[in-house]
Amino acid sequence: MDSRIFLAIIAVIVAVSGIFLNSPFLLSMLALAALTLIVTTGLNLLLGFTGQISLGHAGFVALGAYMSALLAIKFSINPWLSIFIATILSSLIGAIIGYPTLKLKSHYLAMATLAIGEVINILIMGTVSITGGPQGLTAIPMLSIFGFTFDDDRKFYFFAWFTALSLLLVSINLTKSRFGRALQAIKSKEIAAEAFGINVHMYKVIIFTLSVSYASLAGGLFAFYIGFISPFSFGILNSIEYVVMVVIGGMGSFFGVLFSTIILSILPNIFSGLKEFWPIADGFLLVFAMMFLPDGLKKLFSWIKQ
Amino acid sequence: MDKTVILKLEHITKNFGGLKAVDDVSLEVKKGQIQSLIGPNGAGKTTLFNIITRIYSKDSGSIHFTNHNLDRYKAHQLIKMGIARTFQNIQLFDEMNIWENVAIGSHIKMSNSPLDAILCTHNNKKWEKQAKEKAIDTLRFLKIDRLAYLYPKEISFGNKRLIELARALVSDPVLLLLDEPASGLNESETSKLLKIIFRIWEKGVTILLIEHDMNLVMNCSHSIAVMDGGKKIAQGMPSYIQNNKKVIKAYLGE
Ligand SMILES: Nc1ncnc2c1ncn2[C@@H]1O[C@H](COP(=O)(O)OP(=O)(O)OP(=O)(O)O)[C@@H](O)[C@H]1O
Ligand SMILES: [Mg+2]
């Protein structure tokens, strides 16, 4: 079955759930899952397709969240425009960071991106006068368009899923072309890719930048939806969680990652009493997936699609 | 036949630490010819290929392809100029099927943009369809189009070698560098390969061939260069090389 038909089926399921679900708790949880899906879809392009790790993506989500919130609060810029500007700025920062770091090989890249994520977090913690530091940033306005305000969970649910699935479609289309083949070539044999005309470093930087823009956009939407952000939502554990989602979903499988993202976003909320243990569970899941499910949920989905 | 020089190497030297892998090698490849490069293991043949294709930097010397100084180009720019290669240690992309592997060879010839891809434009469909057709046509040329939808891990070693070749061919090379295309092939596969090499040559492609299979080399080469210990020790027609004392000594030892 074509991935796009599969995507259409998922869109219908999402829409029907949005109409019939009545619990604000569930709607809000699923809306947040959609925002997470934006991040993991971007990370999947980078990690799953191109084979380049980032252990600092929560930092880029934070960049998007803080920059768009601050633009709206301090400069009274329209929230949509704030998100747009913040996404552009984060992408620029992503490109500047990506250019040198993507020359590094696997575990050095992992360490560099981990450090970058932490530096962003420390900067936010430290600049109390601007970001509110550990206290966080409050009174972030709500998103509205043509007098229609996203003031309840159902409205935002639809908007978040519409955005996430649109970006999923963009990513699927992109990877179903020569560009997707180029990325996979880089992932498996860099030298051969280079010999066949693929500018490996440039492609890596572009995909990194794209995945940063996805992360930043998700961050911006998160800030305006929740109305409050603090550095604790964007730590190293969040970065690792994104990687776990991509690995469990099956690197390079958009639908596998869609499901792992939904499941892993929902589980900690259902077992909320065990919240402190979640990072440990994440660690186990990662090890388990690496050992027993090297392809994650990918196999399952290629089977369903047939 | 046009006998002008298409690739000219002058005094190429490459050291790995204390090891002189390539030592003052000069070589001219004439347009439309099959030039072979032979020599015992570790002679520096593959290293020379990696220098030509800009994967390794060289310590000294110069390389000209037609009238271009290759120092001015990066590895990924060579395919556009018409230089394609295969790898001695097979370098297929494991996560793509065979036609997709082969289609990588047309990547830079395609002009659908990322935006075309995202929006599924007509232009995108046209180029993608063309790339797939061309990949499959090339597989058909090698008589292995039945493998198009399999993955590298599902096909035999001999066929993997042919896929390497297909991927290079699809780029419509002017100069084709083949690094031991017959290694690991059985006798019948090797004789098929010989025919294929002739058919490629008939299309006007210049070929620089590294090969250990003497039968193959003696049967298809216009000229043979011999390397040993990083140095070029002889060059000439197959009949000359066959009886050259230095060459015999390099192969048989003392
Ligand atoms: N990247 C490298 N680093 C260090 N030494 C290398 C490297 N590549 C090749 N060498 C050394 O350079 C010498 C020439 O190697 P090369 O692979 O060019 O030989 P070859 O003629 O292709 O041999 P074969 O017929 O076995 O393929 C060898 O001694 C090899 O060990
Ligand atoms: Mg070799």
Side-chain angles (χ1 to χ4, degrees):
Chain A
M1 194 189 336
D2 189 276
S3 303
R4 287 156 201 140
I5 299 174
F6 207 69
L7 186 66
I9 295 172
I10 287 167
V12 170
I13 296 172
V14 164
V16 171
S17 316
I19 293 166
F20 290 101
L21 282 178
N22 270 322
S23 144
F25 170 71
L26 271 180
L27 284 167
S28 152
M29 197 166 72
L30 288 169
L32 289 175
L35 296 185
T36 307
L37 177 62
I38 296 175
V39 184
T40 51
T41 300
L43 189 62
N44 194 14
L45 285 171
L46 180 70
L47 176 59
F49 278 86
T50 323
Q52 308 301 304
I53 188 133
S54 167
L55 288 177
H57 254 47
F60 298 117
V61 180
L63 268 187
Y66 274 89
M67 285 201 291
S68 35
L70 287 171
L71 285 169
I73 296 171
K74 309 253 167 177
F75 301 96
S76 311
I77 295 176
N78 171 294
W80 298 104
L81 189 60
S82 305
I83 293 177
F84 180 74
I85 297 172
T87 305
I88 301 281
L89 286 177
S90 311
S91 308
L92 215 65
I93 294 170
I96 293 168
I97 290 173
Y99 192 85
T101 45
L102 288 157
K103 288 189 171 157
L104 301 171
K105 296 277 171 256
S106 56
H107 43 291
Y108 295 107
L109 179 64
M111 284 193 278
T113 48
L114 187 129
I116 288 158
E118 282 308 274
V119 166
I120 292 172
N121 211 280
I122 290 165
L123 282 177
I124 293 169
M125 286 277 194
T127 49
V128 179
S129 58
I130 306 169
T131 62
Q135 306 287 299
L137 205 57
T138 47
I140 304 169
M142 255 179 271
L143 288 171
S144 65
I145 192 160
F146 306 126
F148 180 87
T149 308
F150 291 94
D151 52 0
D152 82 5
D153 295 309
R154 192 185 309 277
K155 289 181 195 164
F156 192 79
Y157 168 96
F158 277 108
F159 173 64
W161 274 102
F162 173 76
T163 311
L165 294 183
S166 306
L167 289 174
L168 192 59
L169 179 64
V170 163
S171 312
I172 289 172
N173 286 349
L174 190 66
T175 53
K176 278 191 178 295
S177 69
R178 67 187 179 114
F179 301 103
R181 293 195 292 274
L183 298 182
Q184 282 183 311
I186 293 171
K187 184 185 177 188
S188 61
K189 304 274 157 52
E190 276 188 26
I191 287 177
E194 190 87 31
F196 282 93
I198 295 157
N199 187 342
V200 171
H201 183 242
M202 188 191 76
Y203 267 77
K204 284 183 186 173
V205 174
I206 289 174
I207 285 300
F208 184 77
T209 305
L210 186 66
S211 81
V212 166
S213 72
Y214 277 36
S216 167
L217 173 68
L221 295 175
F222 175 81
F224 290 104
Y225 172 49
I226 301 291
F228 164 76
I229 48 177
S230 89
F232 301 107
S233 312
F234 312 108
I236 169 74
L237 291 175
N238 300 85
S239 291
I240 291 174
E241 174 125 24
Y242 297 137
V243 172
V244 172
M245 287 166 173
V246 173
V247 171
I248 296 211
M251 308 224 268
S253 159
F254 286 114
F255 294 108
V257 172
L258 172 93
F259 280 82
S260 67
T261 301
I262 295 175
I263 293 164
L264 292 179
S265 305
I266 289 177
L267 281 185
N269 287 301
I270 293 178
F271 302 106
S272 54
L274 302 173
K275 222 162 199 157
E276 296 86 83
F277 297 104
W278 193 247
I280 303 173
D282 256 351
F284 275 115
L285 274 173
L286 188 60
V287 173
F288 175 82
M290 300 260 198
M291 286 172 70
F292 301 109
L293 290 169
D295 286 328
L297 302 175
K298 197 187 212 161
K299 282 263 158 60
L300 183 69
F301 279 92
S302 49
W303 179 74
I304 291 177
K305 278 205 270 174
Q306 279 170 14
Chain B
M1 196 195 302
D2 190 353
K3 291 241 175 164
T4 51
V5 173
I6 193 168
L7 181 72
K8 184 170 184 167
L9 312 180
E10 289 169 294
H11 307 292
I12 307 288
T13 300
K14 172 77 184 174
N15 293 286
F16 290 114
L19 176 84
K20 272 209 157 131
V22 176
D23 189 358
D24 195 26
V25 171
S26 298
L27 179 69
E28 290 188 349
V29 180
K30 296 208 170 80
K31 196 173 176 190
Q33 290 208 336
I34 300 178
Q35 167 73 53
S36 291
L37 185 58
I38 65 171
N41 292 110
K45 306 179 297 292
T46 298
T47 305
L48 197 62
F49 263 28
N50 286 337
I51 291 170
I52 297 170
T53 53
R54 310 280 293 135
I55 289 168
Y56 289 167
S57 61
K58 54 184 162 39
D59 296 337
S60 61
S62 72
I63 311 171
H64 284 83
F65 175 69
T66 59
N67 50 3
H68 303 277
N69 182 347
L70 289 193
D71 284 352
R72 296 208 198 94
Y73 296 84
K74 297 216 168 82
H76 65 85
Q77 294 170 319
L78 298 183
I79 193 117
K80 207 164 206 163
M81 301 171 70
I83 303 177
R85 71 171 292 181
T86 65
F87 293 87
Q88 178 177 358
N89 50 341
I90 291 171
Q91 298 279 318
L92 296 180
F93 309 116
D94 306 320
E95 295 181 27
M96 282 187 273
N97 69 25
I98 297 303
W99 80 255
E100 289 167 331
N101 262 278
V102 175
I104 285 286
S106 357
H107 179 77
I108 43 111
K109 298 222 159 162
M110 299 168 70
S111 26
N112 45 339
S113 67
L115 204 60
D116 279 324
I118 289 168
L119 301 175
C120 287
T121 61
H122 176 71
N123 196 39
N124 188 64
K125 281 183 200 137
K126 186 187 84 186
W127 282 102
E128 289 296 329
K129 184 164 170 259
Q130 213 166 303
K132 183 174 178 180
E133 280 170 2
K134 187 152 192 211
I136 291 176
D137 281 348
T138 307
L139 290 169
R140 193 172 298 124
F141 174 76
L142 301 175
K143 302 195 170 67
I144 45 171
D145 47 315
R146 70 200 144 79
L147 304 178
Y149 292 91
L150 297 177
Y151 281 81
K153 64 169 186 285
E154 298 169 320
I155 69 174
S156 72
F157 185 82
N159 283 332
K160 281 185 194 166
R161 283 242 175 268
L162 290 180
I163 304 304
E164 276 263 335
L165 183 57
R167 185 174 62 181
L169 279 182
V170 105
S171 70
D172 293 324
V174 176
L175 174 66
L176 181 59
L177 309 176
L178 303 176
D179 196 345
E180 301 200 19
S183 102
L185 301 194
N186 62 34
E187 229 169 278
S188 86
E189 285 172 327
T190 305
S191 69
K192 262 187 235 158
L193 179 69
L194 178 65
K195 283 183 201 131
I196 289 168
I197 290 177
F198 273 126
R199 285 170 63 205
I200 296 168
W201 170 75
E202 275 167 7
K203 290 179 167 188
V205 180
T206 306
I207 298 172
L208 180 54
L209 168 72
I210 297 178
E211 190 44 68
H212 277 299
D213 188 311
M214 281 309 141
N215 203 15
L216 181 79
V217 169
M218 293 301 162
N219 275 315
C220 75
S221 313
H222 295 98
S223 165
I224 300 173
V226 189
M227 282 179 77
D228 186 27
K231 289 196 167 66
K232 188 172 102 173
I233 56 168
Q235 173 158 16
M237 302 213 306
S239 55
Y240 168 75
I241 292 299
Q242 246 162 344
N243 302 311
N244 183 296
K245 290 223 170 60
K246 274 198 217 161
V247 176
I248 295 167
K249 195 174 157 197
Y251 271 91
L252 300 179
E254 289 313 303

